[in-house]
Short mmCIF file of all heavy atoms in Angstrom, two decimals:
data_model
loop_
_atom_site.label_atom_id
_atom_site.label_comp_id
_atom_site.label_asym_id
_atom_site.label_seq_id
_atom_site.Cartn_x
_atom_site.Cartn_y
_atom_site.Cartn_z
N ARG A 242 2.00 19.26 5.32
CA ARG A 242 2.21 18.26 6.36
C ARG A 242 3.70 18.01 6.60
O ARG A 242 4.12 17.77 7.74
CB ARG A 242 1.52 16.93 5.99
CG ARG A 242 0.01 16.96 5.86
CD ARG A 242 -0.71 17.87 6.82
NE ARG A 242 -0.31 17.66 8.23
CZ ARG A 242 -0.61 18.49 9.21
NH1 ARG A 242 -1.28 19.59 8.97
NH2 ARG A 242 -0.24 18.22 10.45
N VAL A 243 4.48 18.05 5.54
CA VAL A 243 5.93 17.89 5.69
C VAL A 243 6.47 19.00 6.60
O VAL A 243 7.27 18.75 7.52
CB VAL A 243 6.63 17.94 4.31
CG1 VAL A 243 8.14 18.12 4.46
CG2 VAL A 243 6.33 16.67 3.53
N ARG A 244 6.05 20.23 6.35
CA ARG A 244 6.54 21.37 7.15
C ARG A 244 6.00 21.32 8.58
O ARG A 244 6.66 21.80 9.51
CB ARG A 244 6.15 22.68 6.47
CG ARG A 244 6.85 22.90 5.13
CD ARG A 244 6.63 24.31 4.60
NE ARG A 244 7.42 24.53 3.40
CZ ARG A 244 6.94 24.40 2.15
NH1 ARG A 244 5.66 24.07 1.97
NH2 ARG A 244 7.72 24.61 1.12
N ALA A 245 4.83 20.73 8.77
CA ALA A 245 4.26 20.63 10.12
C ALA A 245 4.95 19.55 10.95
O ALA A 245 4.89 19.57 12.18
CB ALA A 245 2.76 20.34 10.03
N GLY A 246 5.60 18.60 10.27
CA GLY A 246 6.31 17.53 10.97
C GLY A 246 5.64 16.18 10.81
O GLY A 246 4.42 16.07 10.97
N LEU A 247 6.45 15.16 10.49
CA LEU A 247 5.96 13.81 10.27
C LEU A 247 6.49 12.87 11.35
O LEU A 247 7.57 13.09 11.90
CB LEU A 247 6.38 13.30 8.89
CG LEU A 247 5.92 14.13 7.68
CD1 LEU A 247 6.51 13.52 6.39
CD2 LEU A 247 4.41 14.21 7.59
N LEU A 248 5.76 11.81 11.63
CA LEU A 248 6.20 10.80 12.59
C LEU A 248 7.28 9.91 12.00
O LEU A 248 8.12 9.36 12.72
CB LEU A 248 5.01 9.95 13.04
CG LEU A 248 3.93 10.69 13.84
CD1 LEU A 248 2.73 9.78 14.07
CD2 LEU A 248 4.48 11.20 15.16
N VAL A 249 7.24 9.73 10.70
CA VAL A 249 8.27 9.00 9.95
C VAL A 249 8.74 9.98 8.86
O VAL A 249 7.90 10.44 8.07
CB VAL A 249 7.71 7.71 9.31
CG1 VAL A 249 8.79 6.98 8.52
CG2 VAL A 249 7.13 6.80 10.39
N PRO A 250 10.03 10.33 8.80
CA PRO A 250 10.48 11.39 7.90
C PRO A 250 10.52 10.99 6.42
O PRO A 250 11.54 11.12 5.74
CB PRO A 250 11.88 11.73 8.42
CG PRO A 250 12.36 10.44 9.00
CD PRO A 250 11.14 9.79 9.61
N VAL A 251 9.40 10.50 5.93
CA VAL A 251 9.28 10.07 4.53
C VAL A 251 7.90 10.44 4.02
O VAL A 251 6.90 10.24 4.71
CB VAL A 251 9.49 8.54 4.39
CG1 VAL A 251 9.32 8.12 2.93
CG2 VAL A 251 10.86 8.12 4.89
N MET A 252 7.84 11.00 2.81
CA MET A 252 6.57 11.22 2.10
C MET A 252 6.56 10.26 0.92
O MET A 252 7.46 10.29 0.07
CB MET A 252 6.46 12.66 1.61
CG MET A 252 5.21 12.96 0.80
SD MET A 252 3.63 12.74 1.70
CE MET A 252 3.74 14.07 2.90
N CYS A 253 5.56 9.39 0.87
CA CYS A 253 5.47 8.37 -0.17
C CYS A 253 4.47 8.81 -1.23
O CYS A 253 3.36 9.23 -0.90
CB CYS A 253 5.03 7.04 0.44
SG CYS A 253 6.10 6.48 1.79
N THR A 254 4.87 8.72 -2.49
CA THR A 254 3.98 9.05 -3.59
C THR A 254 3.93 7.88 -4.56
O THR A 254 4.91 7.15 -4.72
CB THR A 254 4.44 10.31 -4.34
OG1 THR A 254 5.75 10.09 -4.90
CG2 THR A 254 4.52 11.51 -3.39
N ALA A 255 2.78 7.71 -5.21
CA ALA A 255 2.63 6.63 -6.19
C ALA A 255 1.73 7.11 -7.31
O ALA A 255 0.88 7.98 -7.12
CB ALA A 255 2.06 5.37 -5.53
N TYR A 256 1.92 6.49 -8.48
CA TYR A 256 1.19 6.92 -9.68
C TYR A 256 0.78 5.69 -10.48
O TYR A 256 1.58 4.77 -10.68
CB TYR A 256 2.09 7.83 -10.51
CG TYR A 256 1.45 8.38 -11.77
CD1 TYR A 256 0.29 9.15 -11.70
CD2 TYR A 256 2.00 8.15 -13.02
CE1 TYR A 256 -0.30 9.66 -12.83
CE2 TYR A 256 1.43 8.66 -14.17
CZ TYR A 256 0.27 9.42 -14.08
OH TYR A 256 -0.31 9.93 -15.21
N GLY A 257 -0.46 5.71 -10.95
CA GLY A 257 -0.98 4.58 -11.72
C GLY A 257 -0.72 4.73 -13.20
O GLY A 257 -1.66 4.73 -14.01
N GLY A 258 0.53 4.86 -13.57
CA GLY A 258 0.91 5.02 -14.98
C GLY A 258 2.42 5.06 -15.09
O GLY A 258 3.14 4.59 -14.20
N ASP A 259 2.93 5.62 -16.18
CA ASP A 259 4.36 5.77 -16.39
C ASP A 259 4.94 6.64 -15.28
O ASP A 259 4.59 7.82 -15.17
CB ASP A 259 4.61 6.40 -17.77
CG ASP A 259 6.09 6.49 -18.12
OD1 ASP A 259 6.94 6.37 -17.20
OD2 ASP A 259 6.41 6.72 -19.30
N LEU A 260 5.83 6.09 -14.47
CA LEU A 260 6.31 6.80 -13.29
C LEU A 260 7.06 8.09 -13.64
O LEU A 260 7.12 9.01 -12.82
CB LEU A 260 7.20 5.88 -12.45
CG LEU A 260 7.46 6.32 -11.00
CD1 LEU A 260 6.16 6.48 -10.24
CD2 LEU A 260 8.36 5.30 -10.30
N SER A 261 7.60 8.17 -14.85
CA SER A 261 8.32 9.38 -15.25
C SER A 261 7.39 10.59 -15.33
O SER A 261 7.84 11.74 -15.31
CB SER A 261 9.02 9.17 -16.60
OG SER A 261 8.06 8.98 -17.64
N GLU A 262 6.08 10.34 -15.40
CA GLU A 262 5.11 11.44 -15.47
C GLU A 262 4.85 12.06 -14.10
O GLU A 262 4.41 13.22 -14.01
CB GLU A 262 3.79 10.95 -16.06
CG GLU A 262 3.89 10.43 -17.49
CD GLU A 262 2.59 9.83 -17.97
OE1 GLU A 262 1.58 9.92 -17.24
OE2 GLU A 262 2.57 9.25 -19.08
N LEU A 263 5.10 11.32 -13.02
CA LEU A 263 4.75 11.80 -11.69
C LEU A 263 5.40 13.13 -11.33
O LEU A 263 4.71 14.06 -10.88
CB LEU A 263 5.10 10.72 -10.64
CG LEU A 263 4.79 11.05 -9.18
CD1 LEU A 263 3.32 11.36 -8.97
CD2 LEU A 263 5.24 9.90 -8.27
N PRO A 264 6.72 13.31 -11.52
CA PRO A 264 7.33 14.58 -11.13
C PRO A 264 6.88 15.77 -11.96
O PRO A 264 7.11 16.92 -11.57
CB PRO A 264 8.84 14.32 -11.33
CG PRO A 264 8.99 12.85 -11.37
CD PRO A 264 7.73 12.34 -11.99
N THR A 265 6.23 15.51 -13.09
CA THR A 265 5.79 16.62 -13.96
C THR A 265 4.38 17.10 -13.60
O THR A 265 3.92 18.09 -14.17
CB THR A 265 5.80 16.18 -15.44
OG1 THR A 265 4.76 15.21 -15.67
CG2 THR A 265 7.14 15.56 -15.81
N LEU A 266 3.71 16.41 -12.68
CA LEU A 266 2.35 16.79 -12.34
C LEU A 266 2.33 18.12 -11.58
O LEU A 266 3.26 18.43 -10.82
CB LEU A 266 1.69 15.70 -11.51
CG LEU A 266 1.52 14.34 -12.19
CD1 LEU A 266 0.86 13.34 -11.24
CD2 LEU A 266 0.71 14.46 -13.47
N PRO A 267 1.28 18.92 -11.75
CA PRO A 267 1.20 20.23 -11.08
C PRO A 267 1.32 20.10 -9.57
O PRO A 267 0.64 19.27 -8.95
CB PRO A 267 -0.19 20.73 -11.49
CG PRO A 267 -0.51 20.03 -12.76
CD PRO A 267 0.11 18.68 -12.63
N GLY A 268 2.20 20.89 -8.98
CA GLY A 268 2.36 20.91 -7.54
C GLY A 268 3.43 19.98 -7.00
O GLY A 268 3.87 20.12 -5.85
N TYR A 269 3.89 19.03 -7.82
CA TYR A 269 4.86 18.06 -7.32
C TYR A 269 6.20 18.72 -6.98
O TYR A 269 6.84 18.37 -6.00
CB TYR A 269 5.07 16.94 -8.33
CG TYR A 269 5.78 15.72 -7.75
CD1 TYR A 269 5.04 14.71 -7.15
CD2 TYR A 269 7.17 15.61 -7.77
CE1 TYR A 269 5.67 13.60 -6.59
CE2 TYR A 269 7.80 14.51 -7.22
CZ TYR A 269 7.04 13.51 -6.63
OH TYR A 269 7.68 12.42 -6.07
N ALA A 270 6.61 19.68 -7.79
CA ALA A 270 7.89 20.35 -7.55
C ALA A 270 7.90 21.05 -6.20
O ALA A 270 8.92 21.06 -5.50
CB ALA A 270 8.17 21.34 -8.68
N LYS A 271 6.75 21.64 -5.82
CA LYS A 271 6.68 22.32 -4.52
C LYS A 271 6.76 21.31 -3.37
O LYS A 271 7.35 21.60 -2.33
CB LYS A 271 5.40 23.13 -4.44
CG LYS A 271 5.37 24.33 -5.39
CD LYS A 271 4.09 25.13 -5.24
CE LYS A 271 4.09 26.34 -6.18
NZ LYS A 271 2.83 27.13 -6.06
N LEU A 272 6.18 20.14 -3.57
CA LEU A 272 6.30 19.09 -2.56
C LEU A 272 7.75 18.66 -2.43
O LEU A 272 8.27 18.50 -1.32
CB LEU A 272 5.41 17.89 -2.91
CG LEU A 272 5.60 16.63 -2.06
CD1 LEU A 272 5.33 16.93 -0.58
CD2 LEU A 272 4.68 15.52 -2.54
N ALA A 273 8.42 18.47 -3.56
CA ALA A 273 9.83 18.06 -3.55
C ALA A 273 10.68 19.11 -2.83
O ALA A 273 11.60 18.77 -2.07
CB ALA A 273 10.32 17.85 -4.98
N GLN A 274 10.39 20.38 -3.07
CA GLN A 274 11.14 21.45 -2.42
C GLN A 274 10.93 21.43 -0.91
O GLN A 274 11.88 21.58 -0.13
CB GLN A 274 10.71 22.81 -2.98
CG GLN A 274 11.46 23.99 -2.38
CD GLN A 274 11.00 25.33 -2.96
OE1 GLN A 274 10.19 25.37 -3.89
NE2 GLN A 274 11.51 26.41 -2.42
N ALA A 275 9.69 21.23 -0.46
CA ALA A 275 9.40 21.17 0.97
C ALA A 275 10.14 20.00 1.63
O ALA A 275 10.68 20.13 2.73
CB ALA A 275 7.89 21.04 1.19
N CYS A 276 10.15 18.85 0.95
CA CYS A 276 10.85 17.68 1.49
C CYS A 276 12.35 17.95 1.62
O CYS A 276 12.97 17.61 2.63
CB CYS A 276 10.61 16.46 0.60
SG CYS A 276 8.92 15.80 0.69
N GLU A 277 12.93 18.59 0.61
CA GLU A 277 14.36 18.89 0.65
C GLU A 277 14.68 19.86 1.78
O GLU A 277 15.66 19.68 2.51
CB GLU A 277 14.79 19.49 -0.69
CG GLU A 277 16.29 19.75 -0.78
CD GLU A 277 16.72 20.25 -2.14
OE1 GLU A 277 15.87 20.33 -3.05
OE2 GLU A 277 17.92 20.55 -2.30
N GLU A 278 13.85 20.87 1.96
CA GLU A 278 14.07 21.87 3.01
C GLU A 278 13.96 21.27 4.41
O GLU A 278 14.66 21.70 5.33
CB GLU A 278 13.06 23.01 2.87
CG GLU A 278 13.27 23.88 1.63
CD GLU A 278 12.14 24.88 1.43
OE1 GLU A 278 11.14 24.81 2.19
OE2 GLU A 278 12.24 25.71 0.51
N CYS A 279 13.10 20.28 4.56
CA CYS A 279 12.82 19.71 5.89
C CYS A 279 13.56 18.40 6.16
O CYS A 279 13.34 17.77 7.22
CB CYS A 279 11.32 19.51 6.05
SG CYS A 279 10.36 21.04 5.98
N GLY A 280 14.39 17.96 5.24
CA GLY A 280 15.13 16.72 5.44
C GLY A 280 14.25 15.48 5.39
O GLY A 280 14.53 14.48 6.06
N VAL A 281 13.19 15.54 4.61
CA VAL A 281 12.27 14.42 4.46
C VAL A 281 12.53 13.71 3.14
O VAL A 281 12.68 14.36 2.09
CB VAL A 281 10.80 14.91 4.52
CG1 VAL A 281 9.82 13.82 4.09
CG2 VAL A 281 10.47 15.40 5.93
N THR A 282 12.59 12.40 3.17
CA THR A 282 12.78 11.62 1.95
C THR A 282 11.49 11.57 1.15
O THR A 282 10.42 11.27 1.70
CB THR A 282 13.24 10.19 2.28
OG1 THR A 282 14.47 10.24 3.00
CG2 THR A 282 13.43 9.37 1.01
N LEU A 283 11.58 11.88 -0.13
CA LEU A 283 10.42 11.80 -1.02
C LEU A 283 10.55 10.56 -1.88
O LEU A 283 11.46 10.46 -2.72
CB LEU A 283 10.33 13.05 -1.90
CG LEU A 283 9.18 13.12 -2.91
CD1 LEU A 283 7.83 13.01 -2.21
CD2 LEU A 283 9.26 14.40 -3.74
N MET A 284 9.67 9.60 -1.69
CA MET A 284 9.72 8.33 -2.43
C MET A 284 8.71 8.33 -3.56
O MET A 284 7.61 8.87 -3.42
CB MET A 284 9.43 7.15 -1.50
CG MET A 284 10.59 6.71 -0.66
SD MET A 284 10.23 5.11 0.12
CE MET A 284 11.82 4.76 0.87
N GLN A 285 9.09 7.72 -4.67
CA GLN A 285 8.20 7.54 -5.81
C GLN A 285 8.07 6.05 -6.11
O GLN A 285 9.06 5.33 -6.13
CB GLN A 285 8.75 8.24 -7.06
CG GLN A 285 8.96 9.73 -6.92
CD GLN A 285 9.60 10.32 -8.17
OE1 GLN A 285 9.80 9.63 -9.16
NE2 GLN A 285 9.90 11.60 -8.12
N ALA A 286 6.86 5.61 -6.35
CA ALA A 286 6.65 4.20 -6.66
C ALA A 286 5.51 4.07 -7.66
O ALA A 286 4.58 4.88 -7.66
CB ALA A 286 6.30 3.41 -5.39
N PRO A 287 5.57 3.05 -8.51
CA PRO A 287 4.42 2.78 -9.37
C PRO A 287 3.29 2.19 -8.54
O PRO A 287 3.54 1.41 -7.61
CB PRO A 287 4.96 1.75 -10.37
CG PRO A 287 6.07 1.07 -9.64
CD PRO A 287 6.68 2.09 -8.73
N MET A 288 2.07 2.58 -8.84
CA MET A 288 0.93 1.97 -8.17
C MET A 288 0.86 0.50 -8.55
O MET A 288 1.17 0.12 -9.68
CB MET A 288 -0.37 2.69 -8.55
CG MET A 288 -1.61 2.10 -7.91
SD MET A 288 -3.13 3.00 -8.31
CE MET A 288 -3.03 4.30 -7.09
N SER A 289 0.48 -0.33 -7.61
CA SER A 289 0.36 -1.76 -7.88
C SER A 289 -0.71 -2.02 -8.94
O SER A 289 -1.62 -1.21 -9.14
CB SER A 289 0.01 -2.51 -6.60
OG SER A 289 -1.29 -2.14 -6.16
N ILE A 290 -0.60 -3.17 -9.59
CA ILE A 290 -1.63 -3.58 -10.55
C ILE A 290 -2.98 -3.69 -9.83
O ILE A 290 -4.01 -3.26 -10.35
CB ILE A 290 -1.26 -4.92 -11.21
CG1 ILE A 290 0.03 -4.77 -12.03
CG2 ILE A 290 -2.39 -5.42 -12.11
CD1 ILE A 290 0.58 -6.07 -12.58
N THR A 291 -2.95 -4.23 -8.61
CA THR A 291 -4.18 -4.33 -7.82
C THR A 291 -4.79 -2.96 -7.60
O THR A 291 -6.02 -2.78 -7.72
CB THR A 291 -3.87 -4.99 -6.47
OG1 THR A 291 -3.30 -6.28 -6.69
CG2 THR A 291 -5.13 -5.13 -5.63
N GLY A 292 -3.96 -1.99 -7.27
CA GLY A 292 -4.45 -0.63 -7.06
C GLY A 292 -5.09 -0.07 -8.31
O GLY A 292 -6.17 0.53 -8.26
N MET A 293 -4.43 -0.27 -9.46
CA MET A 293 -4.94 0.30 -10.71
C MET A 293 -6.27 -0.33 -11.14
O MET A 293 -7.14 0.36 -11.65
CB MET A 293 -3.89 0.17 -11.81
CG MET A 293 -2.75 1.17 -11.67
SD MET A 293 -1.63 1.19 -13.09
CE MET A 293 -0.59 -0.22 -12.73
N VAL A 294 -6.43 -1.63 -10.92
CA VAL A 294 -7.71 -2.23 -11.32
C VAL A 294 -8.83 -1.83 -10.37
O VAL A 294 -10.01 -1.85 -10.74
CB VAL A 294 -7.64 -3.78 -11.44
CG1 VAL A 294 -6.60 -4.20 -12.47
CG2 VAL A 294 -7.38 -4.42 -10.10
#
Side-chain angles (χ1 to χ4, degrees):
R242 297 325 309 167
V243 166
R244 294 190 174 97
L247 302 177
L248 295 173
V249 179
V251 178
M252 177 62 68
C253 304
T254 61
Y256 181 59
D259 184 344
L260 197 57
S261 65
E262 298 174 6
L263 180 58
T265 70
L266 297 179
Y269 195 89
K271 292 182 179 179
L272 171 59
Q274 181 180 355
C276 289
E277 184 176 357
E278 292 172 354
C279 298
V281 169
T282 300
L283 179 58
M284 281 192 173
Q285 301 176 5
M288 179 177 276
S289 66
I290 297 173
T291 302
M293 285 189 279
V294 300

